[in-house]
Amino acid sequence: MRPHTALREEWLSSLPVLGGRWNRSEKALAADPCQNSINGCLEVDVHIYSEMFCHLRPVRRLCLEKIFPHWFLYSRALSGAEAVNALRPFYFAVHPDFFGQHPREREVNENSLKRLSVYLENLQKPGFKSLKPTQLTFYVRETDQNSSDGQESFSTAGFRAVKFTLHTRDLLSTVLYILNSCSLSIEHIQSLNTNVHSQPLKEAKRMPDRPIKWDKSYYSFTGFKDPDEDLEQVSRMETTLTSWLDNNGKSAVKKLKNSLPLRKELDRLKDELSHQLQLSDIRWQRSWGIAHRCSQLHSLGRLAQQNLETLKNAKGCTLVFTDRSGMSAVGHVMLGTMDVHHHWTKLFERLPSYFDLQRRLMLLEDQISYLLGGMQVVYIEELQPMLTLEEYYSLLDVFYNRLMKNRILFHPRSLRGLQMILNSDRYAPSLHELGHFNIPTLCDPANLQWFILTKAQQARENMKRKEDHHLL
């Protein structure tokens, strides 16, 4: 048999080099512990640090067990598809399509979802080291999953604002952090993560706490890919606007050329129906494709052939293809794309009653304007949710009754030239940078009077600045 020292030396020579940390002095120390005083001190240090980490690892494991579920400590990393599936309750609670009546909250969620998508994509890039902490804000809807939590403070609109900062290093911990921040359940993640290790805690403690940093020679010898080099290559190949345009320019030109006949057909159908029904314009609320728009116009054309006289009730109106049928707050005829011809016909038959309601609405706006010193009540489509005529009339009626019940005194025509829009999702009045007042339907009249009087001069300055900007 070979001596014990020879076997140990042979074993050491077979070990891979780990980041240049295993040197000749360490091999000599392991082969013969009875070296000089320097090696003796080194041997003591190694044993001391071994004992320190031996005691610290169970403490760190115990802390993690208090924070995360027991299955999280043994679960494998989530794939990108599994992460998306695990975040379904979150997407359902913050999806912008559910905030159609709240444009500001919708825009916040859209921007935050884009930033979250970039963060999740970067987590999946090979060899990433660390990501910059990303602060996100979401408006979370009240769903079946969180409505039973008595600690949640939802607004009357049914959502609340949640802010959190992402600084995680893997998909699973990121998913758990997002769901916990939004007070959403994480029980479904265990069923997604099927490959749960069954070894006991003692065996799990032996797993390395951080990835091994291999020396460059290891990759040269084994032929494995160096993750640092992969990361550098990904960074060099990161898409820029110029490179994206170069790669997609020819395809875009080809698609545009192929769509020209369909675009001409769309313009022809739009002109024919506008002339036949004497419409002011035909619009679309959403950016549907050209083929989809042509199909909608063909459907309207077939209905015109069957009930031409009924459809002529919309003479002089703007027709908008949207999600629901009715008349909008500004008087546009809305055709719901999911409705059948029968619903469209009923809408055109009711248009005379809508016109009567529109006249009553304008009279109500004048009465409110008189009570507010001549301030004009306006409805701005770009800054307000798309309301039906009935919904907007109801808001105005509630506001008018509150003004009549709590008489606030403005000098007649003292606020002439100023504008206000009425909001149902606000609790305090504000002044927009364009010069108009945002007035909540349920605001306190006394506070409203004081706010308008103190901000009137600034409102006029903002409106003048807007007019000067348009002149430029």
Side-chain angles (χ1 to χ4, degrees):
M1 288 183 65
R2 287 174 290 180
H4 179 71
T5 55
L7 288 173
R8 181 178 296 183
E9 183 64 34
E10 181 180 347
W11 172 72
L12 290 172
S13 63
S14 65
L15 290 177
V17 179
L18 305 181
R21 294 168 58 187
W22 189 266
N23 52 36
R24 293 178 180 270
S25 62
E26 291 171 342
K27 288 183 180 180
L29 170 64
D32 188 0
C34 300
Q35 292 287 337
N36 55 31
S37 60
I38 297 178
N39 287 345
C41 293
L42 177 61
E43 183 181 14
V44 172
D45 290 341
V46 170
H47 284 295
I48 291 175
Y49 282 109
S50 297
E51 293 176 2
M52 288 174 62
F53 285 113
C54 182
H55 291 293
L56 285 177
R57 286 184 181 179
V59 174
R60 184 163 60 238
R61 172 71 61 173
L62 181 61
C63 295
L64 288 175
E65 287 178 338
K66 292 182 178 179
I67 299 173
F68 297 109
H70 68 279
W71 49 264
F72 171 74
L73 299 175
Y74 311 112
S75 58
R76 62 173 171 81
L78 288 183
S79 66
E82 289 173 332
V84 172
N85 196 20
L87 285 173
R88 279 186 178 179
F90 166 75
Y91 290 135
F92 183 76
V94 303
H95 200 282
D97 287 349
F98 293 109
F99 292 80
Q101 303 298 324
H102 309 282
R104 183 175 66 87
E105 288 77 8
R106 177 189 179 97
E107 183 179 0
V108 169
N109 281 10
E110 286 179 345
N111 294 334
S112 295
L113 283 174
K114 291 177 183 177
R115 297 175 61 196
L116 174 60
S117 177
V118 173
Y119 190 94
L120 294 177
E121 289 177 2
N122 288 335
L123 280 180
Q124 300 173 64
K125 290 182 179 179
F128 82 96
K129 293 182 179 178
S130 62
L131 295 177
K132 182 180 179 181
T134 302
Q135 184 174 2
L136 300 175
T137 300
F138 285 101
Y139 287 92
V140 182
R141 295 187 311 114
E142 182 176 9
T143 62
D144 294 338
Q145 197 174 50
N146 55 30
S147 60
S148 61
D149 191 349
Q151 297 180 350
E152 301 296 343
S153 56
F154 289 90
S155 68
T156 56
F159 56 79
R160 60 185 172 84
V162 174
K163 294 183 179 180
F164 54 85
T165 301
L166 293 178
H167 45 72
T168 48
R169 296 180 57 85
D170 63 272
L171 281 176
L172 180 55
S173 59
T174 302
V175 169
L176 290 171
Y177 182 69
I178 292 172
L179 294 175
N180 283 322
S181 299
C182 298
S183 300
L184 298 172
S185 174
I186 60 174
E187 295 178 357
H188 62 289
I189 298 182
Q190 184 175 9
S191 61
L192 292 175
N193 210 321
T194 55
N195 188 17
V196 179
H197 297 294
S198 58
Q199 59 262 50
L201 185 61
K202 292 182 179 180
E203 295 182 10
K205 289 192 297 184
R206 300 171 189 169
M207 298 295 292
D209 295 308
R210 58 183 178 182
I212 297 175
K213 179 69 175 179
W214 296 98
D215 188 81
K216 297 293 183 180
S217 59
Y218 169 77
Y219 301 105
S220 301
F221 181 77
T222 61
F224 294 147
K225 289 186 177 181
D226 186 349
D228 290 339
E229 292 182 359
D230 287 348
L231 181 60
E232 293 177 2
Q233 184 178 1
V234 170
S235 301
R236 289 194 300 267
M237 297 175 60
E238 189 172 352
T239 303
T240 63
L241 177 60
T242 303
S243 63
W244 188 89
L245 291 175
D246 292 339
N247 295 333
N248 296 276
K250 293 182 180 180
S251 175
V253 171
K254 182 180 179 180
K255 290 181 179 180
L256 176 62
K257 184 178 179 180
N258 294 336
S259 69
L260 287 179
L262 201 57
R263 291 175 182 271
K264 292 180 180 179
E265 175 67 7
L266 177 66
D267 292 338
R268 184 189 67 80
L269 291 171
K270 183 178 177 181
D271 292 340
E272 285 185 0
L273 284 172
S274 297
H275 177 73
Q276 184 181 13
L277 303 179
Q278 299 180 356
L279 300 173
S280 175
D281 192 14
I282 298 178
R283 302 179 187 174
W284 285 265
Q285 182 191 11
R286 298 186 179 275
S287 54
W288 284 296
I290 303 299
H292 196 172
R293 295 187 179 192
C294 286
S295 176
Q296 293 165 353
L297 292 180
H298 278 299
S299 183
L300 181 62
R302 288 192 297 270
L303 182 61
Q305 293 176 358
Q306 301 169 4
N307 300 282
L308 181 59
E309 293 302 321
T310 302
L311 267 63
K312 282 188 175 181
N313 287 336
K315 177 181 178 181
C317 295
T318 295
L319 191 148
V320 182
F321 288 97
T322 181
D323 295 329
R324 53 179 174 168
S325 297
M327 179 171 280
S328 70
V330 293
H332 297 335
V333 178
M334 303 188 303
L335 295 182
T337 56
M338 301 301 293
D339 294 336
V340 296
H341 283 182
H342 172 73
H343 297 100
W344 287 3
T345 303
K346 290 294 183 181
L347 169 63
F348 283 106
E349 291 175 352
R350 292 198 305 266
L351 283 182
S353 63
Y354 277 117
F355 295 146
D356 180 62
L357 180 60
Q358 192 176 23
R359 287 188 290 268
R360 289 160 51 196
L361 184 145
M362 295 172 64
L363 178 61
L364 191 56
E365 288 179 338
D366 292 339
Q367 292 172 335
I368 294 174
S369 177
Y370 176 78
L371 295 176
L372 295 180
M375 182 186 299
Q376 183 184 7
V377 183
V378 296
Y379 182 91
I380 304 177
E381 288 184 279
E382 295 79 7
L383 301 177
Q384 294 180 256
M386 191 169 186
L387 301 176
T388 63
L389 194 65
E390 299 94 330
E391 292 170 342
Y392 188 51
Y393 182 86
S394 178
L395 286 179
L396 290 174
D397 187 57
V398 171
F399 184 66
Y400 174 74
N401 290 330
R402 288 178 65 85
L403 291 179
M404 292 295 294
K405 183 178 179 180
N406 305 275
R407 275 281 189 171
I408 56 177
L409 300 177
F410 288 101
H411 190 279
R413 296 182 295 279
S414 61
L415 301 177
R416 196 171 183 178
L418 297 180
Q419 295 179 341
M420 62 156 283
I421 64 176
L422 202 59
N423 285 288
S424 61
D425 57 346
R426 293 177 180 269
Y427 293 93
S430 63
L431 178 62
H432 197 273
E433 60 181 3
L434 297 180
H436 62 265
F437 287 94
N438 290 308
I439 307 300
T441 307
L442 302 178
C443 70
D444 180 63
N447 294 336
L448 174 62
Q449 181 181 19
W450 175 254
F451 182 82
I452 292 177
L453 290 176
T454 56
K455 298 291 184 179
Q457 182 59 34
Q458 183 180 349
R460 295 187 188 279
E461 293 175 359
N462 290 357
M463 293 187 69
K464 187 177 185 305
R465 191 182 306 115
K466 179 184 70 172
E467 293 173 358
D468 294 341
H469 179 72
H470 286 315
L471 292 177
L472 295 176

